[in-house]
């Protein structure tokens, strides 16, 4: 991971999660998705090359870890690390903000809003 551009906590956080897709992948992980195909099925329709790039960057930043679940062909399941799960309150508050101020946004499942980790 490159050196932070400044000591500002907002800037350094945005360096990790501030692109168009990372928080969407994080949302899916927090909602229990673990496999590449699960992420591709999300309504935002992330492309395979962007998804691969984001998962690599999230892994390099220590937000996710991957584990093989199949050997031929090799396929991986992704799980949040404690550092990645630590972003849950941030994402939850973003959901609350959007639900209050942006008409037509979906209401997150109650389990997500309470902070219950998917099994």
């Amino acid at each position: 991971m490159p050196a932070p551009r400044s000591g500002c906590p907002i800037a350094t956080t945005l360096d990790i999660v501030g692109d168009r897709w990372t928080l969407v992948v994080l949302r899916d992980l927090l909602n229990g998705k673990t496999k590449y195909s699960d992420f591709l099925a999300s309504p935002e329709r992330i492309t395979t090359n962007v998804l691969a790039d984001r998962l690599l960057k999230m892994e390099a930043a220590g937000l996710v870890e991957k584990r093989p679940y199949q050997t031929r062909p090799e396929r991986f399941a992704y799980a949040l690390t404690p550092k990645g799960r630590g972003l849950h309150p941030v994402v939850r508050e973003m959901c609350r903000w959007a639900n209050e101020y942006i008409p037509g946004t979906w209401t997150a499942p109650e389990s997500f809003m309470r902070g219950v980790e998917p099994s």
Side-chain angles (χ1 to χ4, degrees):
M1 199 162 101
R5 57 188 154 143
S6 77
C8 171
I10 292 173
T12 56
T13 301
L14 287 174
D15 287 343
I16 298 170
V17 300
D19 64 81
R20 182 176 177 176
W21 292 105
T22 300
L23 288 174
V24 173
V25 175
L26 179 66
R27 174 211 59 198
D28 286 349
L29 285 158
L30 288 164
N31 280 312
K33 292 185 178 187
T34 61
K35 296 179 182 169
Y36 203 81
S37 60
D38 296 337
F39 303 120
L40 291 174
S42 292
E44 293 82 11
R45 303 181 55 102
I46 190 170
T47 61
T48 57
N49 60 319
V50 172
L51 176 58
D53 180 67
R54 290 316 177 274
L55 288 169
L56 280 172
K57 287 181 178 177
M58 292 173 77
E59 186 178 16
L63 301 179
V64 299
E65 58 187 9
K66 68 179 182 179
R67 296 186 183 124
Y69 71 89
Q70 180 179 313
T71 56
R72 291 193 181 177
E74 189 170 40
R75 294 193 176 152
F76 298 93
Y78 296 86
L80 289 168
T81 63
K83 183 178 179 180
R85 286 190 302 275
L87 286 164
H88 183 255
V90 175
V91 177
R92 185 176 56 226
E93 289 308 311
M94 289 176 73
C95 290
R96 285 187 176 129
W97 179 86
N99 290 158
E100 184 171 344
Y101 295 107
I102 303 175
T105 56
W106 304 331
T107 302
E110 185 58 35
S111 62
F112 181 83
M113 297 306 284
R114 278 194 316 267
V116 174
E117 288 296 321
S119 48

